[in-house]
């Protein structure tokens, strides 16, 4: 079964919020994008415990937590002023370059560093 590949408008470092599912309301930064599977990995969201059988690396076995990716349709970028999720659009400037904008307020998207 082929998965339809959509254009992902999010970028690494964007602050996103989960908008549906059991993790609804959790926020985090985008760590990686997976365009072939339409998924995104978000820091601190969708942590799963993985059990390892005894092997050379884990002689007694182990239980570890790993990050699993979420479907891109389950997350939305967070607007910094209202702290609410929004969609992303594109605006073409007069010089022909494109910039990302929030659909609700039509303001330019700026990646904020340091906040979580």
């Amino acid at each position: 079964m082929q998965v339809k590949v959509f254009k992902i408008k999010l970028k690494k470092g964007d602050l996103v919020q989960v908008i549906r599912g059991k993790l609804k309301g959790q926020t985090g930064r985008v760590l990686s994008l997976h365009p072939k599977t339409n998924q995104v990995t978000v820091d601190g969201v969708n942590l799963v415990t993985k059990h390892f059988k005894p092997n050379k690396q884990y002689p007694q076995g182990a239980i570890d937590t790993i990050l699993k990716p979420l479907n891109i349709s389950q997350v939305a970028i967070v607007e910094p002023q209202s702290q609410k999720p929004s969609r992303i659009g594109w605006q073409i400037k007069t010089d022909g370059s494109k910039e990302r904008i929030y659909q609700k307020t039509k303001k330019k998207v700026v990646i904020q560093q340091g906040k979580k």
Side-chain angles (χ1 to χ4, degrees):
M1 184 171 107
Q2 289 267 332
V3 176
K4 185 175 180 184
V5 179
F6 295 99
K7 173 124 174 81
I8 297 177
K9 295 178 182 177
L10 295 173
K11 288 187 178 179
K12 191 175 175 182
D14 283 344
L15 182 66
V16 295
Q17 181 178 5
V18 180
I19 55 175
R20 66 175 67 101
K22 66 179 182 178
L23 304 171
K24 183 177 180 177
Q26 293 186 13
T27 59
R29 297 233 171 253
V30 174
L31 295 178
S32 61
L33 302 166
H34 313 283
K36 289 187 179 178
T37 59
N38 295 326
Q39 292 181 329
V40 61
T41 304
V42 182
D43 185 28
V45 178
N46 205 18
L47 290 169
V48 178
T49 57
K50 176 141 175 89
H51 298 258
F52 294 100
K53 283 186 173 183
N55 56 28
K56 287 184 179 180
Q57 187 178 2
Y58 303 106
Q60 294 183 332
I63 300 173
D64 198 10
T65 57
I66 59 172
L67 277 172
K68 294 289 255 181
L70 292 165
N71 196 310
I72 196 73
S73 64
Q74 290 185 331
V75 296
I77 193 164
V78 175
E79 246 181 286
Q81 290 179 342
S82 64
Q83 293 297 316
K84 292 185 179 180
S86 177
R87 297 171 106 183
I88 297 177
W90 296 99
Q91 184 177 35
I92 299 173
K93 292 195 229 174
T94 55
D95 63 352
S97 62
K98 291 194 302 185
E99 65 180 7
R100 297 188 311 155
I101 59 169
Y102 297 109
Q103 289 285 32
K104 288 186 179 178
T105 59
K106 305 295 184 200
K107 292 184 181 175
K108 183 180 174 184
V109 175
V110 179
I111 297 177
Q112 301 167 340
Q113 299 297 330
K115 285 188 177 180
K116 185 173 180 182

